[in-house]
Amino acid sequence: MRQAIQRIAFCALLSAADTAPVHSADLPAGFVRLADIDPTIRQDVRYARTDNFLRRKAAGYDAAVCILTGRAAEALSGVQKAIAAKGLTLVVFDCYRPARAVSDMGEWTREGGPPDPQWYPAVKRKDLIAKGYVGELSTHSRGSTVDVAIARVDRNTAPKQACGAPDADTLDFGTGFDCFDPMSETAHRPLAWEATANRKRLVEAMRAGGFRNYAREWWHFTLENEPFPKQRFDFPLTAD
């Protein structure tokens, strides 16, 4: 009888192992791939490509994927469900960011250089940290911070922005993602009424989902009560 029970228990363990999510096996405990939680959220992860302020791939971005803590991913999925009824979708530009990428960005600023009209039109590269546009530490490395915007499901493209990420296919927010300029402050004025309304819509939707906004970047949100508030991670982003 005891052997029969043991065989049943062993088979149950094998069955559970077979159904475990294989895509998260390489991640630290508590982390998930956003696509495994909500594949309807669009991903436009810029630091794995060259269309970002570095103009090259950032260290640790071996794949253009969004990885978050499970708690943050579930909360973000809740926001997605809330706005989907209005024909809208979230678009994420960055999620978990390896600590090595943060160091890479810091080293890049110290190389110096003139302002860049696309990304930091009024600041020299060496001053980006001092001005608060690039951090020597980043909340992204804790896994519960996301850079995000809203787009229409029908993919109608917004007007091209003079500063920040081009061709992001989002609503008009007044600037693109990663525009290092006072125009990117969430409450910046003056701003066109449509961009002001869209920033308010994004902040309210994210707040309802449990995220707080960083006032200097309309796209930057961190989960309230995040699971790793004092810990930073450095595993690379990989496709699987």
Side-chain angles (χ1 to χ4, degrees), residues 27-44:
L27 301 179
F31 282 81
V32 297
R33 298 178 187 278
L34 179 61
D36 289 342
I37 302 300
D38 195 330
T40 70
I41 298 175
R42 292 184 194 166
Q43 298 189 29
D44 186 9

Side-chain angles (χ1 to χ4, degrees), residues 8-21:
I8 292 171
F10 180 69
C11 289
L13 286 172
L14 287 178
S15 177
D18 287 342
T19 59

Side-chain angles (χ1 to χ4, degrees), residues 195-222:
T196 299
N198 287 334
R199 290 185 185 191
K200 181 179 179 182
R201 173 186 286 178
L202 176 62
V203 169
E204 289 179 348
M206 293 294 285
R207 181 186 297 131
F211 292 85
R212 64 181 182 277
N213 175 241
Y214 172 49
R216 296 196 65 185
E217 297 175 347
W218 59 259
W219 57 81
H220 181 114
F221 294 86
T222 299

Side-chain angles (χ1 to χ4, degrees), residues 59-174:
Y61 281 79
D62 299 335
V65 296
C66 173
I67 293 173
L68 289 167
T69 62
R71 194 180 301 174
E74 293 287 356
L76 201 64
S77 180
V79 177
Q80 176 79 340
K81 289 178 174 63
I83 67 172
K86 303 173 184 177
L88 302 172
T89 181
L90 295 175
V91 181
V92 294
F93 300 113
D94 195 34
C95 301
Y96 156 74
R97 182 182 304 168
R100 72 190 72 181
V102 179
S103 297
D104 183 22
M105 293 173 183
E107 288 297 322
W108 171 86
T109 66
R110 286 184 275 275
E111 294 173 4
D116 183 328
Q118 176 69 58
W119 302 99
Y120 42 101
V123 184
K124 293 181 179 179
R125 187 198 295 192
K126 67 179 180 63
D127 295 326
L128 287 171
I129 290 179
K131 295 291 186 180
Y133 294 118
V134 174
E136 293 191 277
L137 297 175
S138 175
T139 58
H140 282 277
S141 298
R142 305 199 299 250
S144 295
T145 291
V146 62
D147 293 334
V148 64
I150 293 175
R152 296 182 181 88
V153 172
D154 60 18
R155 291 184 178 270
N156 287 342
T157 303
K160 300 296 186 293
Q161 304 297 343
C163 179
D167 303 319
D169 196 26
T170 68
L171 302 181
D172 183 2
F173 286 92

